[in-house]
Every structure is written in structure tokens, then in C-alpha cells.
């Protein structure tokens, strides 16, 4: 019966369902898919008949997902990712000829440090390969064992995931950033400064936090959090012109210091280093394209390490 039901389904509806669940709007879903609005409206009608549910219902001037549609979001994304993997698979991978799409999760910090190099490398050796970058979210990390099926991998520091294959990429250190006109800070930060000054922190959740800031609590110092952000790139701009302090990865802090108008100082405690890795689902292990991606990321990470050693 299950096979008969599957034969009667139009699997072309799967991308449309995914777009509708993401956009919650027929017009935006059509733009996302590159289809006409009437075509997506017709597909929504077929999906409504199949599920016996409205999926999208109007609330005021906008549409909301029905309870069933909410339940369909995760399995639809997972199913679509599985379809992509099936039809992207090949016995060999030729970067110069492939039009494979790689889907990666990474923070804005990793995108700034690693992503730009990856984009340049693809342009050089795999010009037709497409890259989809999505911001890492705490919810993704919370259910990484399942969510990693929907992407090619996530760039994340060690300390958040276990029992998942990882390709080590590069190391970084933590530094503190303060405003140059912060008259409460001298040439060096002290632990007294760290305890007294207000903080900007990146997230503050069990599975989303800056390890260096979390380490302070282990040392008996409770940061006085004034602002919690969800973007590493925003942190120095939230410090500039204030009495606030924040910790930031050294590679990013030095790049943004002049633009944001902040001063970079060593942490007055032995901050745990950043060890970035590329975490991926075991099902990718023998995929030639994914093996190439892992090698490429590892090479870029090695180049970053070499530049640090040379003091560039």
C-alpha cells in the first residue's frame, strides 16, 4: 500500500512544500522557486487536498502555518535534502565540471574567516559548484545528529558536538575588545575590569555561547551582561563608544577593529582557544564530492594556520 501511495505522489511537490513552509507566502515561495504565482497556487491546492489541511491560513494581513504544517517543516527539509543527495551522487567527482550544490551551516565569524576563502577556491577550481551558507542556530546544534542529514555539514568549535565525524580546520584565540575612549581601561585589562564593566555576549544558552565568556564563570567571575547578540560581527560595534567589554575571536577582532572603532587587548585570564571543525553526518563518508569538500576545507584551514605562524 505504501509503494502504491508513493507511486501516486508527484514528488515535484516536495520543493514547493518546502518553499511554502519556509516563506509562508505564495508570492515569495514562487520567487524562491523561480516559478509563476499561479503555478505555486495550484501546487498549494494539490498539497491541501493531499494532506486534508489548509497548511497556510490567513491571520490579518499575513499567512500562518497550521499545526500540521508546523509538524511538516523538519521532515520536509530532511526529505528534500535526502532527494538532493540521491540525485547529486556520482561514482566520481570532477570539480571543474560539477554543478553540485553544497549546503553548509556556519556562524558569521566562520563565514568571514573561512567562507570567503572557500568562495575564492570554488571560483578557481570548481566554477559551476554552488554554495548555500546558512547561519548556525542553537536549535540546529541541539538536534545535530538528525539535522546534519539536511546539510553537508556545520562549521562549529569543538565542545558542542560529540559522536559525529569531524574534520579539524583551524585554531584561533580569544581577545577582548573595548572602546578606545573607555577611560576605565588602561593599557591592559585586569580581572577587576572584567568583573566591573558591562558586557556584550554572543548568545547565552546551554548550547550557544562563547567558551571564553563561559570560562569566566568557572573562575568565579559572573559577567554583568548588558547586551546579548546573535552575531559575532555585531559585537565590536555594540562595544564602540561605550564602557562595555566583549570577547571575540582574534582573527575577526583584528579585521574589524579599525572599522568598528574598538581596541583589541589580551584577555587577563588564560582563555580556552578556539578549535574550529567541520562536523558532518556519517552518511557522507564515501561520497566523492563530500570527500573533496572536506579536503578543500582542511587545506584552507591549513593555509590559515600557516599565515598565523608567519605572523600575517
Amino acid at each position: 500500500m505504501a509503494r502504491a501511495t508513493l507511486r501516486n505522489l508527484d514528488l515535484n511537490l516536495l520543493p514547493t512544500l518546502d518553499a511554502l513552509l519556509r516563506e509562508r507566502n505564495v508570492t515569495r515561495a514562487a520567487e524562491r522557486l523561480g516559478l509563476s504565482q499561479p503555478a505555486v497556487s495550484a501546487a498549494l491546492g494539490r498539497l491541501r487536498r493531499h494532506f486534508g489541511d489548509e497548511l497556510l491560513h490567513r491571520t490579518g494581513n499575513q499567512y500562518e502555518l497550521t499545526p500540521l504544517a508546523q509538524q511538516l517543516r523538519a521532515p520536509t527539509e530532511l526529505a528534500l535534502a535526502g532527494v538532493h543527495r540521491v540525485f547529486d551522487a556520482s561514482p566520481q567527482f570532477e570539480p571543474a565540471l560539477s554543478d553540485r550544490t553544497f549546503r553548509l551551516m556556519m556562524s558569521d565569524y566562520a563565514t568571514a574567516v573561512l567562507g570567503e576563502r572557500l568562495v575564492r577556491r570554488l571560483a578557481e577550481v570548481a566554477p559551476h559548484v554552488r554554495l548555500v551558507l546558512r547561519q548556525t542556530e542553537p536549535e540546529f546544534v541541539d538536534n545535530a545528529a538528525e539535522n546534519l542529514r539536511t546539510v553537508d555539514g556545520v562549521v562549529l568549535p569543538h565542545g558542542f558536538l560529540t559522536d559525529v565525524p569531524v574534520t579539524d580546520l583551524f585554531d584561533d584565540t580569544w581577545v577582548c575588545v573595548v572602546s578606545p575612549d573607555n577611560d576605565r581601561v588602561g593599557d591592559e585589562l585586569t580581572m577587576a575590569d572584567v568583573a566591573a564593566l558591562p558586557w556584550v555576549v554572543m548568545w547565552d544558552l546551554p548550547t550557544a555561547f562563547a567558551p571564553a565568556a563561559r570560562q569566566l564563570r568557572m573562575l568565579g567571575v559572573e559577567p554583568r551582561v548588558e547586551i546579548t547578540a546573535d552575531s559575532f560581527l555585531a559585537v565590536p560595534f555594540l562595544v564602540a563608544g561605550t564602557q562595555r567589554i566583549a570577547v571575540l575571536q582574534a582573527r575577526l577582532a583584528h579585521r574589524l577593529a579599525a572599522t568598528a572603532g574598538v581596541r583589541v587587548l589580551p584577555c587577563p585570564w588564560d582563555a580556552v582557544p578556539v578549535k574550529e571543525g567541520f562536523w558532518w553526518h556519517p552518511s557522507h563518508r564515501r561520497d566523492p564530492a563530500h570527500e573533496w569538500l572536506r579536503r578543500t576545507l582542511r587545506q584552507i584551514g591549513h593555509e590559515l594556520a600557516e599565515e598565523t605562524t608567519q605572523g600575517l
Side-chain angles (χ1 to χ4, degrees):
M1 183 181 298
R3 283 194 293 269
T5 300
L6 187 60
R7 282 198 301 269
N8 292 331
L9 288 178
D10 180 358
L11 294 183
N12 288 316
L13 291 174
L14 188 58
T16 304
L17 176 61
D18 179 68
L20 287 166
L21 295 179
R22 289 175 182 273
E23 299 294 343
R24 306 183 184 195
N25 181 281
V26 172
T27 300
R28 290 198 301 269
E31 293 172 353
R32 185 187 189 98
L33 295 165
L35 299 175
S36 67
Q37 182 175 339
V40 175
S41 295
L44 175 59
R46 296 174 63 189
L47 288 164
R48 284 170 165 167
R49 289 191 294 274
H50 172 79
F51 288 107
D53 186 88
E54 284 294 296
L55 300 178
L56 297 175
H57 64 89
R58 183 179 289 278
T59 302
N61 294 325
Q62 60 185 8
Y63 283 92
E64 298 291 341
L65 299 182
T66 67
L68 176 61
Q70 294 277 8
Q71 296 176 34
L72 289 172
R73 290 186 63 184
T76 298
E77 186 174 358
L78 181 61
L80 188 57
V83 170
H84 280 300
R85 283 206 304 275
V86 168
F87 289 98
D88 282 344
S90 63
Q92 59 185 357
F93 180 71
E94 298 183 36
L97 302 177
S98 175
D99 61 355
R100 169 81 174 249
T101 298
F102 290 113
R103 295 170 173 81
L104 308 182
M105 302 281 292
M106 59 177 71
S107 67
D108 53 358
Y109 154 70
T111 300
V113 173
L114 186 76
E116 65 170 355
R117 291 171 178 265
L118 178 58
V119 168
R120 289 203 302 265
R121 188 64 48 84
L122 293 180
E124 293 169 0
V125 302
H128 306 296
V129 163
R130 295 179 295 273
L131 191 62
V132 177
L133 300 178
R134 291 175 53 195
Q135 175 84 347
T136 308
E137 300 172 345
E139 294 79 8
F140 184 95
V141 179
D142 290 342
N143 302 287
E146 189 65 24
N147 289 335
L148 281 172
R149 295 178 180 273
T150 68
V151 295
D152 286 285
V154 57
V155 176
L156 197 70
H158 281 261
F160 294 91
L161 300 181
T162 58
D163 301 324
V164 177
V166 59
T167 301
D168 287 332
L169 300 179
F170 63 91
D171 295 351
D172 205 344
T173 56
W174 293 100
V175 295
C176 292
V177 293
V178 298
S179 183
D181 58 359
N182 188 340
D183 56 11
R184 297 176 62 180
V185 178
D187 293 336
E188 296 181 352
L189 272 169
T190 67
M191 290 301 290
D193 294 329
V194 168
L197 291 171
W199 275 74
V200 178
V201 299
M202 174 64 182
W203 298 109
D204 196 18
L205 302 169
T207 54
F209 55 88
R214 183 63 60 88
Q215 189 181 11
L216 281 176
R217 293 189 173 97
M218 298 173 64
L219 297 173
V221 177
E222 184 66 33
R224 182 160 63 88
V225 177
E226 192 167 272
I227 296 180
T228 301
D230 64 356
S231 164
F232 286 111
L233 294 176
V235 167
F237 295 93
L238 298 172
V239 167
T242 75
Q243 298 286 304
R244 302 182 192 115
I245 183 176
V247 291
L248 205 61
Q249 302 90 339
R251 296 179 191 276
L252 186 62
H254 288 294
R255 290 186 61 178
L256 294 179
T259 302
V262 294
R263 188 156 57 112
V264 180
L265 296 172
C267 296
W269 71 97
D270 188 16
V272 60
V274 184
K275 298 186 70 68
E276 289 284 336
F278 177 60
W279 308 79
W280 42 279
H281 195 271
S283 62
H284 297 306
R285 191 179 302 276
R286 302 301 179 192
D287 178 358
H290 201 273
E291 290 178 346
W292 175 85
L293 174 66
R294 300 196 299 268
R295 285 196 305 272
T296 300
L297 289 171
R298 188 165 52 243
Q299 289 169 356
I300 293 173
H302 181 68
E303 292 166 7
L304 283 168
E306 284 188 332
E307 288 186 2
T308 300
T309 301
Q310 296 168 9
L312 299 178

